[in-house]
Amino acid sequence: MSRVITGTLVSLFLGASAAHAATFVTSFAGAPDPGAIGTVLFDFETPVVAGQLGHGVTIAGEYQIYTGDAPPNAAAPAGDATAYLAVPGTSYSGFATLDFTGLTYGPGIGGFDFYWGSIDKGNRMAIVTSTGTYTFTGADIIGSGLGSTTTAQANRRVIFDLGPGEILQQIRFYSDLPAFELDDFAVVAVPEPSTWAMMLVGFLSIGSMLRRRDSARRGGVTMPKLTS
Ligand SMILES: [Ca+2]
Ligand SMILES: [Ca+2]
């Protein structure tokens, strides 16, 4: 099964069953990036002007966009030769905030994923949503190999899911060590009501068809005649 389908199913499953909380779902080994699950909104190839990342999302705080290694401030995510985001980018520690409150993308975000380079113990993220603030550290994602700039273990595509009706407001990226590096931030759209309605109609049609078939089969059976 393709990762995209798996990711969608994971998202649908969690969306239907999880509590209203941002959740770390899973991650895939990188070096290079195994590829986005959702639609890439930010690849950081376009210069950021006045904090505008695109799609109504802004970035503020301490960050730099680099291409390639930038010692001692940042290292390119393994296998990534393109521009990427580094926090803080020019100092030892700091944070940057992505603000999604002005998001203009589609029907809303049901989950998101990105390629996280050289996952460090000093890396932390806070996901601020309509239901609360949820924090994750590099150690929550991988148990060992922290900070490696080359291994598949420490360079991963990480996937987060939002609960039903939960609205993403901000993601804050922190680093107490240089640095928090990421690229190709992607989102999975919340299924539109019309999509759910079509799926429901489909299920009901199949159910109805099976009931009719079952009924016809029972009606068509010749019962053995009882003779006295
Ligand atoms: Ca890029
Ligand atoms: Ca790092």
Side-chain angles (χ1 to χ4, degrees):
M1 192 183 292
S2 84
R3 197 165 48 242
V4 171
I5 295 171
T6 307
T8 304
L9 290 176
V10 164
S11 187
L12 285 172
F13 173 76
L14 289 173
S17 63
H20 293 244
T23 312
F24 167 61
V25 179
T26 190
S27 68
F28 295 103
D33 182 3
I37 299 298
T39 302
V40 174
L41 288 193
F42 312 121
D43 61 10
F44 307 105
E45 303 308 313
T46 309
V48 177
V49 178
Q52 298 293 329
L53 272 182
H55 302 282
V57 177
T58 59
I59 184 168
E62 297 171 79
Y63 69 91
Q64 287 287 316
I65 309 293
Y66 290 119
T67 300
D69 292 340
N73 297 315
D80 187 353
T82 71
Y84 62 92
L85 176 68
V87 176
T90 56
S91 58
Y92 198 78
S93 71
F95 74 96
T97 303
L98 267 65
D99 192 312
F100 290 82
T101 52
L103 180 72
T104 57
Y105 171 78
I109 293 177
F112 62 89
D113 55 279
F114 59 89
Y115 186 43
W116 187 343
S118 62
I119 301 174
D120 287 324
K121 62 184 177 187
N123 293 164
R124 182 162 49 97
M125 56 186 294
I127 303 171
V128 183
T129 76
S130 52
T131 64
T133 299
Y134 310 93
T135 60
F136 302 89
T137 71
D140 291 330
I141 310 302
I142 59 171
S144 62
L146 287 161
S148 167
T149 58
T150 56
T151 64
Q153 168 72 359
N155 293 263
R156 307 184 75 83
R157 170 68 49 176
V158 291
I159 297 150
F160 294 86
D161 197 87
L162 301 175
E166 185 176 18
I167 297 169
L168 180 62
Q169 297 171 338
Q170 291 184 342
I171 303 175
R172 298 181 199 135
F173 296 102
Y174 298 77
S175 192
D176 300 327
L177 291 168
F180 195 138
E181 298 97 336
L182 67 133
D183 202 359
D184 287 338
F185 183 99
V187 299
V188 175
V190 173
E192 291 185 63
S194 59
T195 306
W196 286 115
M198 280 171 59
M199 286 169 65
L200 187 60
V201 168
F203 290 141
L204 290 174
S205 303
I206 292 168
S208 169
M209 190 180 75
L210 291 175
R211 273 196 305 278
R212 277 201 306 273
R213 187 182 292 172
D214 190 44
S215 168
R217 189 181 297 137
R218 279 202 309 272
V221 168
T222 306
M223 299 297 287
K225 230 179 235 173
L226 295 175
T227 50
S228 56

